[in-house]
Amino acid sequence: MALPVTDNVVKTARHTTFYLACGAEDATPIVFVHGWPELSLSWRHQLPVLGALGFRAVAPDMRGYGRSTVYTDLAAYRQELIVGDMLGLLGALGRERAVWVGHDWGSPVVWNLASQHAERCVAVANLCVPYATLERSWDATVALVDRDVYPEDRFPVGQWDYQLYYQEHFERATAVMDADPYNLVKALFRKGNPAGLGRPAMTASTRAGGGWFGGADRAPDIPADHDVVSDEDLAAYAEALGRNGFAGPNAWYMNHEANAAYAAGAPNGGRLDLPVLFLGARYDYVCETATSRLAEPMREQCSDLTEHVFDSGHWMGQERPREVNAALVDWLVRRVPGAWPLEQPRSSG
């Protein structure tokens, strides 16, 4: 009998965090941190599995998303404040440390937790976005672009061009997304396509193409990819994003300088000595790590690193949930035995 996934809220004077949770409240927490433009719902395949194995599996709606606090100031979405939200959540759970798992923009949050607050981390795992990239330095990340795929004369910042579009046309980018959140998430949440191997990602030409979707005023209406999301999932994403708008989620891209300054203050030069798991997606052509140099800084700065690459697109936890769950569990057993529950919870009925 599956354990229930429950709705929960933590309110403090500085921030409100909504979160989903599964498993015993006194168990070791494993906190799943989503990215853009997602919700706690994105971890629906992981929460019941880790909860049933004896962990307190938790997934918050991040700052600017869902039922958590939305801010109008773009600077309110810098990493230092978001890390503070997660520390507040951990305190509300009544625990000193957690296993942290991130994806997309959730990965920089988890990397910063590991580098800035190692004492609050049992271990960390991240999907798609490797360490010491976007949370550390824009210029250093661009320097890792694969110039065989992205010649500098045509693609000065490689696959990261879309992030400059936010910097230069924030209001326009946000308005296009706000125009039709349902079509947007329906277009975005798709499985990986092997045909894109060795070719420039669409994000590399965002500015040249006049913005997202070739300069159109709204996302196109294309069929859903039910291998990744159900119609019910899409409706939930669209409702939350439509209610709050995209200004908050998009503001995560607007704080590179502040984020770099924050990362520069990490103890030990940012070196990570705790157990680290990284899951790369072969068909994620923005965060491609299988053949590019993007993951090199991570490999140099993590002393206890486990890596896997899956034949998946960017939305790995939803596209390949069995593989992701298996990799997480295997890593926890092998590399983080101290966090493993001594007794399994017993279901009633």
Side-chain angles (χ1 to χ4, degrees):
M1 186 174 182
L3 296 177
V5 176
T6 61
D7 290 1
N8 305 267
V9 177
V10 171
K11 292 186 177 182
T12 69
R14 66 177 293 278
H15 186 71
T16 295
T17 296
F18 168 86
Y19 66 96
L20 298 175
C22 183
E25 293 187 9
D26 60 351
T28 300
I30 180 167
V31 183
F32 294 89
V33 184
H34 74 77
W36 181 97
E38 302 183 80
L39 294 168
S40 51
L41 172 70
S42 296
W43 300 106
R44 61 194 176 278
H45 301 295
Q46 285 71 47
L47 295 177
V49 172
L50 275 299
L53 288 174
F55 291 88
R56 178 64 166 171
V58 171
D61 284 350
M62 300 303 290
R63 174 177 287 233
Y65 289 92
R67 286 175 271 182
S68 295
T69 307
V70 177
Y71 301 89
T72 57
D73 181 8
L74 299 186
Y77 295 91
R78 61 190 187 272
Q79 283 288 300
E80 185 173 7
L81 297 181
I82 297 165
V83 168
D85 298 342
M86 295 299 95
L87 294 176
L89 172 61
L90 183 60
L93 295 173
R95 314 299 285 187
E96 288 296 317
R97 301 195 303 159
V99 178
W100 302 89
V101 183
H103 169 252
D104 190 84
W105 265 111
S107 295
V109 177
V110 170
W111 293 130
N112 278 320
L113 282 161
S115 62
Q116 304 276 358
H117 300 280
E119 76 283 357
R120 312 307 298 274
C121 305
V122 177
V124 298
N126 276 306
L127 284 59
C128 297
V129 181
Y131 183 45
T133 55
L134 287 176
E135 90 289 347
R136 183 75 68 85
S137 167
W138 167 259
D139 290 337
T141 302
V142 171
L144 298 169
V145 167
D146 184 346
R147 292 303 177 188
D148 290 336
V149 178
Y150 302 98
E152 191 165 8
D153 59 338
R154 293 181 55 205
F155 304 103
V157 296
Q159 69 268 38
W160 308 109
D161 183 79
Y162 73 104
Q163 298 205 15
L164 290 186
Y165 185 76
Y166 285 120
Q167 301 282 330
E168 297 167 4
H169 304 284
F170 184 83
E171 290 78 12
R172 170 63 179 172
T174 300
V176 169
M177 295 171 185
D178 284 340
D180 198 327
Y182 184 78
N183 275 0
L184 178 78
V185 293
K186 190 153 58 81
L188 286 176
F189 292 139
R190 317 194 75 76
K191 58 182 170 291
N193 182 0
L197 283 170
R199 300 179 179 179
M202 292 178 62
T203 56
S205 302
T206 305
R207 291 185 297 166
W212 285 94
F213 311 114
D217 291 335
R218 62 196 310 120
D221 185 3
I222 61 177
D225 186 346
H226 291 131
D227 291 336
V228 179
V229 284
S230 69
D231 290 333
E232 183 180 3
D233 299 330
L234 289 169
Y237 282 119
E239 189 279 327
L241 291 164
R243 182 179 68 250
N244 294 336
F246 277 84
N250 291 352
W252 286 57
Y253 292 93
M254 300 294 287
N255 288 279
H256 287 306
E257 290 186 9
N259 293 344
Y262 175 54
N268 197 28
R271 181 171 178 80
L272 304 185
D273 294 319
L274 75 173
V276 172
L277 172 66
F278 179 71
L279 303 181
R282 194 179 310 278
Y283 309 138
D284 180 349
Y285 302 119
V286 177
C287 303
E288 195 280 314
T289 59
T291 61
S292 78
R293 298 171 50 228
L294 189 63
E296 286 183 1
M298 175 181 68
R299 294 169 187 142
E300 294 169 358
Q301 297 192 49
C302 296
S303 63
D304 185 358
L305 174 65
T306 301
E307 277 190 81
H308 299 288
V309 176
F310 295 126
D311 291 342
S312 172
H314 182 68
W315 315 104
M316 186 193 300
Q318 302 181 74
E319 179 184 346
R320 298 286 187 184
R322 292 183 181 178
E323 290 91 333
V324 169
N325 292 349
L328 279 170
V329 171
D330 180 72
W331 170 70
L332 287 165
V333 170
R334 294 176 183 272
R335 305 305 306 165
V336 202
W340 197 258
L342 297 179
E343 296 182 5
Q344 301 300 323
R346 297 176 181 176
S347 61
S348 59

